[in-house]
């Protein structure tokens, strides 16, 4: 079995069922790798999770089961930054590595303990509140530069 078919199998048989058990709805909250585009560019991730339509809150990168659980976390973090979402996960089918951008930490969680939509929504709200407040404070202090997803020049 090649790596791509191994990843597809892990997605179909392990990760998607784990998401559903945690309360994620396949039809409205889970976007699979073949459906994921951002600014007309295909993202290199297997899942984007949405709390509501058009509100992404997390990405998941899946690797083969012959790798470490966090092997795809760098890809997931890069995609989370592109989408400006706070939660990045990687999985090899045995569990999840979870990077929380609000804390800057990586933790491992078991395959049956994936966070619910409401749990990730609370992280999203905190992330957006902190970022918005930081951005507002920054623009109030200076009119030439502000860090954020894109450099802001007035």
């Amino acid at each position: 079995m090649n790596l791509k078919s191994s990843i597809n199998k892990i997605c179909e048989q392990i990760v998607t069922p784990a998401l559903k058990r945690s309360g994620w709805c396949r039809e409205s909250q889970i976007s699979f790798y073949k459906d994921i585009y951002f600014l007309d560019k295909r993202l290199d991730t297997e899942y984007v999770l949405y709390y509501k339509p058009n509100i992404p809150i997390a990405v998941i990168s899946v690797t083969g089961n012959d790798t470490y659980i966090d092997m795809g976390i760098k890809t997931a973090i890069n995609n989370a930054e592109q989408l400006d979402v706070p939660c990045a996960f990687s999985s090899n089918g045995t569990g999840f590595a979870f990077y929380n951008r609000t804390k800057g930490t990586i933790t491992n969680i078991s395959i049956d303990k994936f966070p619910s939509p409401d749990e990730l929504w609370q992280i999203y709200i905190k992330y957006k509140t902190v970022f918005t407040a930081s951005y507002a404070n920054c623009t109030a202090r200076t009119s030439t530069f502000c860090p954020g997803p894109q450099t802001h020049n007035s």
Side-chain angles (χ1 to χ4, degrees):
M1 178 174 10
N2 66 34
L3 180 61
K4 194 61 178 171
S5 66
S6 173
I7 291 172
N8 289 342
K9 190 173 184 178
I10 290 168
C11 289
E12 292 170 8
Q13 296 179 359
I14 300 171
V15 176
T16 299
L19 295 174
K20 288 180 180 180
R21 284 191 303 272
S22 295
W24 292 91
C25 175
R26 166 58 182 121
E27 291 73 29
S28 63
Q29 294 180 308
I30 302 171
S31 187
F32 287 103
Y33 65 92
K34 61 186 173 209
D35 305 326
I36 302 171
Y37 286 84
F38 179 69
L39 298 177
D40 295 326
K41 181 181 176 187
R42 188 178 176 287
L43 293 180
D44 186 24
T45 195
E46 280 65 43
Y47 297 88
V48 174
L49 302 179
Y50 296 85
Y51 187 74
K52 296 178 181 178
N54 300 316
I55 302 177
I57 60 175
V59 297
I60 305 172
S61 180
V62 179
T63 60
N65 59 3
D66 59 342
T67 63
Y68 293 107
I69 194 171
D70 62 352
M71 186 64 80
I73 199 68
K74 184 174 180 177
T75 299
I77 291 169
N78 289 339
N79 285 310
E81 289 171 353
Q82 282 187 312
L83 291 174
D84 193 27
V85 298
C87 304
F89 295 86
S90 71
S91 180
N92 65 356
T94 63
F96 296 94
F98 170 34
Y99 180 74
N100 183 336
R101 291 180 67 202
T102 63
K103 295 180 179 180
T105 59
I106 297 176
T107 55
N108 290 340
I109 55 178
S110 68
I111 201 76
D112 60 339
K113 298 291 184 191
F114 194 85
S116 71
D118 289 335
E119 290 170 311
L120 293 188
W121 180 245
Q122 292 307 311
I123 295 170
Y124 177 87
I125 290 170
K126 180 178 179 182
Y127 172 77
K128 289 297 184 177
T129 302
V130 168
F131 175 76
T132 302
S134 297
Y135 190 77
N137 287 337
C138 182
T139 56
R141 288 191 311 253
T142 179
S143 62
T144 58
F145 174 75
C146 230
Q150 298 176 344
T151 303
H152 174 72
N153 291 314
S154 299

